Amino acid sequence: MVHLPLGLLLLCSTFFTSGVEAQQQCRLQLNNELSMPTSVVPLSPNSSSPSPTTPSAIPSRTPFNYGTDIVRGVNLGGWFVLEPWITPSIFEEYDATIVDEFTLGMQTTDYNATLSMLQNHWDTWITEADFAAISAAGLNHVRIPFGYWSVPLTSSDTNTSTSTSPYIPGAWPYLLRALNWAAAYDIHVILDLHGAPGSQNGYDNSGQRTSNPQWALNAQNVTRTVDTLVYVAEQIGGMIDILEVLNESAGFLSTTWANVTRSFYSAAYTAVRNAVGGSLNVMIGDAFLGVDAWTGFLTFPSGENVLMDNHEYQIFDIPQLQLSFSQHLAATCPIRSMLSSFGASNIWTIQGEWSTSPTDCATWLNGRGIGARWDNSINGGPPNGSCTGWTGNYTSFSSSFKTFLRQYWEAQVDVGENAQGWIYWAWKTESADEWSYQKGLEGGWVPSDPTERMYPDPCSNSTTS
């Protein structure tokens, strides 16, 4: 059995009693267990966190040259921001009105029991063994989504509210441990603000599923978001490679929303640069507007070490769901040319979310209690057949479906690698194997070497079976 390296201890002056004096940056030292930041007060007498131990030697990570080296990674989805479709078992313990972390906190009748459940989830959903497996799979990055409510912002860090209600905080020390593991296994980190105050898109993956998101409509929300990013950059910027300032802002909602997003990106970039200098890479997203809407934005010299995050799924409307296997593969071709061109002439570009699933059949993918377009259990569109065999345990997948999953994986990897790289969504799920990189490795449609190819380029003149 291979002896795996120990975790690492993150030492920060603001958080750790053994931190270096009068510094806001962090350093790493080897450690077996998570060290509890002294400024994170247990939320109740029954709350708990792993206890600190004595550190030893300091490790080093292989430098990553963005723009030259190819980003190959996975998203650690459903960990610090719950999503019902990724971990349905958590939500099945509650009545149907609990659809996200907002309603979980708002409607809980036993705070301590809910906190204990969350602590167990944070402790077990992703473990050191996952980081070892990610490294063994030839991947060099993880993208870690987190919610603003998990950041222990204090009144000295912002002029806005520091309340996290109704969210239940406490994930911060588990996030620190994740960064320790990443460093131990030489994995680079994109830390992604997935949930902002007021919700930036109204999706459950922002923390709050709502038809009336408020993030861009309230200046205090935007200010608090910037202050949260500065706090993260100052306290753990030395532990991450890229700080993604906001996931999937709903720029399609209105011109105002798109303009606020654009202004926020500039403000967040400037604030992070003023706080920690130019060494920390900053990532923005296309806000559902397409990358071309950001031509010339934060390009050098107005921006430096900035990346674009593009997300592509072919499953969230009826015309895309009606594509044949070969049509899904062909549909990746214009994406490849678009991202390659934008990345070459603007800022580094990564395909930051994508999957091999050609359907929306995964239970609660569209939200708890909401069905699928594929089988017409959601309103709209003609029936496309049964979801049987398209989701769930991969042992029920046909050989032709698994062949397509491999072809689709290769086609979309090629999209990312013609720009600056890719991050698959997601590393694991409880019950939707077609979305799981981990299960793809096990089932054979994801290769153990991400540079391996079995099928011809669907964008060439070759045909794909």
Side-chain angles (χ1 to χ4, degrees), residues 191-421:
L191 191 58
D192 151 45
L193 183 59
H194 223 68
S199 175
Q200 74 275 18
N201 53 36
Y203 302 148
D204 57 19
N205 60 46
S206 74
Q208 183 181 10
R209 190 177 108 189
T210 175
S211 60
N212 188 28
Q214 293 293 304
W215 174 77
L217 307 181
N218 183 326
Q220 293 290 294
N221 286 337
V222 178
T223 297
R224 180 173 180 177
T225 306
V226 173
D227 293 343
T228 299
L229 293 165
V230 168
Y231 182 97
V232 170
E234 289 180 338
Q235 305 308 329
I236 58 176
M239 289 289 293
I240 64 178
D241 299 86
I242 299 172
L243 179 58
E244 183 163 5
V245 296
L246 190 61
N247 177 69
E248 292 187 345
S249 176
F252 57 83
L253 287 176
S254 67
T255 300
T256 296
W257 200 284
N259 289 340
V260 169
T261 301
R262 184 175 294 266
S263 177
F264 160 74
Y265 283 165
S266 294
Y269 172 82
T270 299
V272 169
R273 285 286 170 262
N274 288 342
V276 298
S279 60
L280 178 60
N281 297 287
V282 172
M283 179 177 276
I284 62 174
D286 71 0
F288 298 104
L289 302 174
V291 294
D292 287 343
W294 302 92
T295 298
F297 185 73
L298 287 180
T299 54
F300 187 83
S302 61
E304 187 174 6
N305 295 335
V306 182
L307 299 93
M308 171 60 70
D309 180 15
N310 174 258
H311 299 173
E312 292 290 342
Y313 299 107
Q314 298 178 15
I315 58 172
F316 289 114
D317 63 48
I318 296 298
Q320 289 181 317
L321 288 171
Q322 292 177 326
L323 297 176
S324 66
F325 284 173
S326 61
Q327 288 171 331
H328 274 294
L329 297 175
T332 65
C333 300
I335 301 169
R336 182 173 80 176
S337 58
M338 174 184 66
L339 297 191
S340 176
S341 175
F342 184 85
S345 58
N346 286 275
I347 56 179
W348 299 323
T349 302
I350 293 174
Q351 181 99 315
E353 287 189 23
W354 58 279
S355 87
T356 50
S357 178
T359 80
D360 66 339
C361 282
T363 300
W364 297 343
L365 179 65
N366 297 302
R368 185 180 184 187
I370 300 174
R373 297 170 186 83
W374 180 263
D375 64 358
N376 209 34
S377 57
I378 192 174
N379 291 330
N384 286 290
S386 170
C387 278
T388 301
W390 296 100
T391 190
N393 191 303
Y394 74 82
T395 59
S396 69
F397 297 168
S398 68
S399 58
S400 61
F401 184 33
K402 286 191 283 188
T403 295
F404 165 74
L405 292 175
R406 175 59 182 262
Q407 293 172 322
Y408 201 25
W409 183 91
E410 290 189 13
Q412 294 183 92
V413 162
D414 190 55
V415 169
E417 300 207 354
N418 272 269
Q420 280 67 55

Side-chain angles (χ1 to χ4, degrees), residues 4 127-139 185 187 427 438 441:
L4 300 177
T127 68
E128 184 176 1
D130 289 294
F131 279 84
I134 289 166
S135 178
L139 303 177
Y185 290 94
I187 296 171
W427 171 242
Q438 182 187 63
L441 290 165

Side-chain angles (χ1 to χ4, degrees), residues 77-200:
W79 193 12
F80 299 129
V81 180
L82 296 179
E83 297 190 37
W85 75 273
I86 295 179
T87 55
S89 67
I90 289 177
F91 289 84
E92 287 165 351
E93 295 298 314
Y94 300 93
D95 68 49
T97 62
I98 308 299
V99 298
D100 51 28
E101 282 205 50
F102 187 93
T103 50
L104 177 69
M106 182 173 63
Q107 299 185 43
T108 185
T109 57
D110 188 335
Y111 182 93
N112 289 337
T114 305
L115 173 61
S116 178
M117 178 276 294
L118 286 170
Q119 288 174 328
N120 179 68
H121 172 70
W122 298 328
D123 197 39
T124 61
W125 179 242
I126 300 291
T127 68
E128 184 176 1
D130 289 294
F131 279 84
I134 289 166
S135 178
L139 303 177
N140 53 39
H141 276 71
V142 291
R143 179 171 177 259
I144 305 179
F146 71 101
Y148 80 94
W149 57 90
S150 296
V151 179
L153 204 65
T154 71
S155 58
S156 64
D157 303 308
T158 183
N159 291 323
T160 67
S161 171
T162 59
S163 171
T164 59
S165 180
Y167 295 103
I168 298 177
W172 182 254
Y174 297 89
L175 171 59
L176 300 186
R177 183 173 64 181
L179 303 183
N180 296 342
W181 287 334
Y185 290 94
D186 201 19
I187 296 171
H188 300 273
V189 175
I190 301 170
L191 191 58
D192 151 45
L193 183 59
H194 223 68
S199 175
Q200 74 275 18

Side-chain angles (χ1 to χ4, degrees), residues 63-86:
F64 197 87
N65 299 310
Y66 293 96
T68 301
D69 299 338
I70 297 295
V71 172
R72 299 182 175 106
V74 287
N75 285 276
L76 304 184
W79 193 12
F80 299 129
V81 180
L82 296 179
E83 297 190 37
W85 75 273
I86 295 179

